[in-house]
Amino acid sequence: MSTTTSTDAPATDEQLDETFAPVFARIAEGAVQREQDRSLARDEVAALNEVRFGALRVPVELGGYGASVRQLFRQLVNLAAAESNLPQALRVHWWFVEEQLLAEPGPEQERWLRAVADGRLVGNAISEPGVGAIDRYRTTVTPDGADLRLSGTKYYSTGSLYADHIVVAADQDGERVAVLVDADAEGVTQHDDWDGFGQRLTASGTTEFDGVAVPGDRVLGPGYGTPGRTYGTAYLQLVQLAVLAGIAQRATDDVAAWVRDRTRTFTHAAADLPRHDPLVQQVIGRLSSAAYSARTIVLDIAGQLEHILATDSADADLLDRVEFDVARAQAAVIPSVLDATTQLFEVGGASITSESLRLDRHWRNARTISVHNPLIYKLQTVGDHVLNGSDLPYAWSAGAR
């Protein structure tokens, strides 16, 4: 495992690329096989830990890379191009690190940042079946002496099967709180039962908590869905857009490589070889444009988040601006990537649908990540905000009303 000394400056883009690009390349090599076998990416997560990928934002003096928010999202796009499941699986991990960076400096903050630098990863258990959190979380924390007990069932526990700790959203006497539990604690049962047709390896299954002991210092503060402005929803949404940008880039690379090696075409094609055919070139151009525009948007919004987190994470105007921008960015990124990953099949005949290629995974993964934050509702909130100045929903909840 590489180390960073306290005298080092924060890593540059070039240094980060030198460290992570070879790891991403190895992860990419097994993407199709993992998809075919539906094998969780445990070895790949271990490889990321070997190079302390989870410590990108941790300050250098605490063992991290001291990367900026923009640098983080640049690497998340690159990782998504190698394996789109992994940035989504680590989504709440990055939020947890930001929360520690924003916390009052002290032993507890340093403890967790050093733990991340040592390879500890954080997953989540927020969503609930049925009513969900429309009213209040059915998962509860109750007093047990000086500590607490956590009980309830969560689903869509993204990344938790890869994690050492789990952020759990729960109800405590009518208040939403977030608590941190150890993934291997007594009473924690995890199931790899996520059955979506895309993003299959995000470890987004069900998690049960049966009287799990929670030390008093593991209550992190207000839980997800607490009313009010927060940088967190823009941050978490941006991870999903980074995944889409990476999917588009990988689709471009995969299809371009396939076309370059192809000699078969059609009798009425415009060129003897597909790579010289202007119609095929147009499809590749659309793919490349989708990847570029998605990446550019992601990095632009990451810059906004960088400014907020470095200056005033409670500034209402700045928070409204970045929440508004990431909401409307979805309307640019999602249709573009979905269209491009659908049209990519036009470059060849029936052979491009071969299961050995698994090019369909790009559309399936893009379609799946896109419905996590339904675009029809994001567009409605954007339009209402533009027309009527209505408040943005920030940390909305899903469930039966």
Side-chain angles (χ1 to χ4, degrees):
M1 183 180 294
S2 61
T3 58
T4 303
T5 66
S6 60
T7 58
D8 288 340
T12 64
D13 282 341
E14 291 74 17
Q15 289 170 329
L16 294 175
D17 287 344
E18 183 179 356
T19 298
F20 298 125
V23 180
F24 295 168
R26 292 196 297 273
I27 289 173
E29 289 174 1
V32 172
Q33 192 63 52
R34 285 191 298 275
E35 174 77 14
Q36 291 173 336
D37 297 341
R38 201 190 183 282
S39 57
L40 292 178
R42 296 185 188 277
D43 291 343
E44 289 66 36
V45 170
L48 292 175
N49 266 339
E50 280 296 311
V51 288
R52 297 178 300 112
F53 186 71
L56 268 167
R57 288 279 290 146
V58 174
V60 172
E61 62 269 21
L62 296 180
Y65 289 95
S68 68
V69 175
R70 189 181 186 280
Q71 286 178 309
L72 165 65
F73 277 91
R74 182 174 176 272
Q75 294 302 327
L76 289 181
V77 173
N78 294 342
L79 175 58
E83 174 54 86
S84 68
N85 291 274
L86 291 180
Q88 185 188 355
L90 296 174
R91 190 165 68 120
V92 170
H93 173 85
W94 306 114
W95 168 85
F96 176 81
V97 173
E98 294 299 341
E99 289 291 286
Q100 305 316 304
L101 293 173
L102 289 172
E104 192 71 27
E108 194 67 12
Q109 179 214 38
E110 181 174 333
R111 168 195 172 193
W112 286 112
L113 289 173
R114 288 195 181 278
V116 169
D118 288 339
R120 309 298 281 181
L121 294 176
V122 178
N124 89 94
I126 295 174
S127 296
E128 296 182 354
V131 173
I134 292 292
D135 176 23
R136 64 171 62 181
Y137 289 112
R138 270 45 183 178
T139 300
T140 60
V141 285
T142 53
D144 182 23
D147 296 323
L148 303 164
R149 290 283 173 177
L150 172 72
S151 294
T153 300
K154 299 287 188 176
Y155 70 166
Y156 303 152
S157 306
T158 304
S160 291
L161 280 166
Y162 299 127
D164 303 287
H165 309 286
I166 306 172
V167 174
V168 186
D171 179 272
Q172 184 179 30
D173 296 328
E175 299 293 328
R176 297 182 184 215
V177 296
V179 299
L180 188 69
V181 303
D182 296 338
D184 61 356
E186 184 177 354
V188 177
T189 304
Q190 297 178 274
H191 306 276
D192 182 25
D193 56 1
W194 161 239
D195 65 351
F197 60 61
Q199 295 297 94
R200 293 172 171 174
L201 311 181
T202 53
S204 297
T206 302
T207 307
E208 300 172 71
F209 302 94
D210 183 11
V212 179
V214 180
D217 62 2
R218 293 290 190 92
V219 178
L220 303 178
Y224 180 87
T226 300
R229 293 178 174 88
T230 172
Y231 77 92
T233 47
Y235 200 101
L236 293 169
Q237 289 175 85
L238 193 61
V239 175
Q240 293 172 330
L241 295 183
V243 171
L244 285 165
I247 289 171
Q249 185 58 60
R250 183 61 187 272
T252 303
D253 295 342
D254 284 354
V255 177
W258 188 82
V259 168
R260 286 191 199 99
D261 292 339
R262 186 165 171 79
T263 57
R264 284 169 59 85
T265 188
F266 297 95
T267 56
H268 54 306
D272 292 336
L273 292 174
R275 68 176 183 272
H276 296 149
D277 191 318
L279 298 180
V280 172
Q281 292 168 353
Q282 185 181 69
V283 173
I284 301 301
R286 179 180 288 113
L287 271 168
S288 182
S289 296
Y292 171 76
S293 60
R295 183 186 185 93
T296 300
I297 288 171
V298 167
L299 295 183
D300 176 73
I301 297 173
Q304 291 187 53
L305 283 166
E306 179 84 51
H307 177 67
I308 291 172
L309 294 171
T311 56
D312 184 359
S313 62
D315 186 296
D317 290 338
L318 292 177
L319 290 171
D320 278 350
R321 173 58 187 269
V322 74
E323 184 71 16
F324 179 61
D325 282 354
V326 80
R328 59 182 177 170
Q330 292 181 61
V333 173
I334 291 172
S336 174
V337 174
L338 287 177
D339 176 65
T341 53
T342 299
Q343 294 299 318
L344 68 83
F345 294 97
E346 300 297 335
V347 302
S351 56
I352 199 172
T353 66
S354 171
E355 288 277 15
S356 65
L357 298 173
R358 286 282 180 176
L359 293 176
D360 61 303
R361 79 186 190 280
H362 298 311
W363 179 87
R364 287 188 289 101
N365 289 338
R367 179 68 278 177
T368 301
I369 194 76
S370 298
V371 298
H372 280 65
N373 219 346
L375 184 56
I376 57 173
Y377 293 107
K378 302 309 292 188
L379 288 174
Q380 182 273 322
T381 62
V382 168
D384 196 15
H385 184 74
V386 170
L387 291 171
N388 305 309
S390 299
D391 290 340
L392 297 163
Y394 282 89
W396 47 267
S397 296
R401 287 171 46 125

